[in-house]
Structures are given as C-alpha cells and as structure tokens.
Amino acid sequence: MSLRLGSIAPNFQANTTQGPIDFHQFKQDSWAILFSHPEDFTPVCTTELGAVARLSAEWEKRNVKVIGLSVNTLESHHEWIRDINETQDADVRFPIIADADRRVATLYDMLDHQDPTNVDKQGMPLTVRSVFIVDTKNIIRAVITYPASTGRNFNEILRVVDSLQLGDRKKIATPANWNVGDDVIVHNSLNNDEAAKLFPGFKIIKPYLRTTPYPN
Ligand code: BEZ
C-alpha cells in the first residue's frame, strides 16, 4: 500500500552506523527526517550528507532526528563518513541505515524505477533521493522525492518543518517562499470573526486571501 500524507510511518528494525535501531523507538516523540541517497562514494550524495550534518543544531532546535539510508553496507558507510567529514567541513553523527537487502527502501517505496543509470553492479535499482518528514505521532506529514541527479536543498526541508510546526500551533498556512518571521495566511477554516479573535488586525486582501503578521 502506498504511503501517503497522513499515513503512519511504518516501523522497521535496521542496522545503522550508530548501531541497530527500531525506527519508532529511535524517534520516540521527536519529529524525524528519514531520507535516502542513491549510493555511498558518489559526489552529489557526499555534498548532501555533509549539508545535513552541518545543520545538526537546526535539526535539534526543531526537535527533529535525522536518519539517512542507502542500500550500501555498514562498512561502506563508515568508510565514506570519513570522506564526508574530510571534504565537507562536517561531522556526521546521525545514523545512516545499511539497507543492503532493500527491505526499508521497499517499505518506503524509495527504489528508482525510472533512471537506468541509477543501478548497482548487478543492475538492481538504487534508491532515489526520498525525504519523509514524520511528526511526533509517527504521522507522515510531507514527502519529497528528487532524482539521483539533483541534490536537495536541506534549508527547504527545514522550511517545510517550520511551516508544519507553526501550523500545528496556530491556525495558519504559509505562502509561497515563506520563511520564519514573514507574514502568514489565516487558515481557511476560520471565519472572519474567529480570525479577528485569534489574529487581531489581520488583513483581508480577498475573502479567500487573509494575512496576518508572523504569530509567535
Ligand atoms: C551522486 O551522488 O553524485 C549520484 C549518485 C547516483 C546517480 C547520480 C549521481
């Protein structure tokens, strides 16, 4: 069955660079970013894992645990981490799953079905660049999928987490290119009277487009 927004992120047990984990126990009541990369010792992936590691304080600030995955072995991951740290001004401390039997990749539908070059030496598909943003209740709140050839912007993933976490606290949505501190959109589920109580001074630009300053 396909995983959708609102689905429970399926639990799994796996070997990682930080030891064996049970996914739900690992994240407990934190948020989690479960993300796959195609292959160790490849250039785009090296820059991506370095970028994730350099953002460690930002993940922590948002109560997010990050966990990577590829179908490579633990030995490969450990060797590659040395290269990432050496070349990317990074200190990789988050776990990376060694999913050599593709169990987790299959469970989360991460395998590449369209790029004939994104395969291992046996011609078996590698993973694409999947991102699952999972909330404190293990609910999948966002899914982002990039092809092997395109490195992700992890600041964008932080921005999505910011939007989701703010939306959980306040009845708002966030507009295009929004960042923390910018005006937000009053949620459509509120009528104007309810909006006025929650957001005094909110602006009605059109009946369906109402904004209010960033709510703290
Ligand atoms: C890379 O990380 O550079 C990469 C990996 C697989 C396919 C294409 C690029």
Side-chain angles (χ1 to χ4, degrees):
M1 212 182 71
S2 64
L3 296 179
R4 298 181 172 157
L5 304 191
S7 299
I8 292 288
N11 196 23
F12 58 83
Q13 289 76 38
N15 287 322
T16 82
T17 50
Q18 304 283 325
I21 62 141
D22 172 286
F23 179 55
H24 286 178
Q25 272 177 24
F26 159 77
K27 68 177 284 303
Q28 291 184 324
D29 47 9
S30 299
W31 288 65
I33 306 280
L34 170 64
F35 72 104
S36 57
H37 65 272
E39 198 167 23
D40 297 356
F41 299 103
T42 53
V44 176
C45 300
T46 302
T47 62
E48 284 195 326
L49 279 271
V52 172
R54 287 194 304 275
L55 288 171
S56 63
E58 298 299 323
W59 305 122
E60 205 170 315
K61 220 190 287 178
R62 292 162 177 82
N63 188 30
V64 175
K65 291 197 170 163
V66 292
I67 179 162
L69 176 150
S70 78
V71 303
N72 300 106
T73 62
L74 269 188
E75 296 70 37
S76 166
H77 285 341
H78 282 300
E79 239 184 272
W80 181 45
I81 285 171
R82 284 201 286 274
D83 283 4
I84 299 170
N85 290 343
E86 179 192 324
T87 62
Q88 303 301 309
D89 186 27
D91 182 10
V92 173
R93 286 170 179 268
F94 59 85
I96 307 173
I97 296 166
D99 192 35
D101 62 5
R102 292 170 168 74
R103 209 165 25 88
V104 182
T106 302
L107 185 64
Y108 277 79
D109 199 10
M110 292 167 160
L111 293 170
D112 200 327
H113 290 284
Q114 52 88 45
D115 180 351
T117 70
N118 193 25
V119 293
D120 67 12
K121 289 191 178 73
Q122 286 74 44
M124 297 288 288
L126 296 170
T127 40
V128 291
R129 300 186 193 280
S130 299
V131 182
F132 289 83
I133 301 180
V134 182
D135 73 11
T136 57
K137 298 195 164 64
N138 298 337
I139 295 169
I140 296 174
R141 301 291 298 277
V143 180
I144 304 171
T145 311
Y146 277 46
S149 54
T150 307
R152 287 156 286 195
N153 182 335
F154 287 92
N155 288 315
E156 166 62 6
I157 292 163
L158 282 173
R159 196 188 73 89
V160 176
V161 170
D162 286 335
S163 170
L164 289 167
Q165 293 185 344
L166 184 61
D168 284 354
R169 287 195 290 113
K170 308 278 176 180
K171 290 226 173 228
I172 59 95
T174 58
N177 300 329
W178 174 86
N179 277 299
V180 167
D182 294 347
D183 288 359
V184 299
I185 306 276
V186 174
H187 200 277
N188 273 345
S189 63
L190 296 178
N191 64 34
N192 286 341
D193 291 339
E194 291 164 335
K197 280 192 199 117
L198 290 175
F199 307 111
F202 78 99
K203 262 200 275 185
I204 305 176
I205 299 164
K206 291 280 181 190
Y208 60 84
L209 174 57
R210 303 169 300 171
T211 62
T212 192
Y214 181 81
N216 279 304

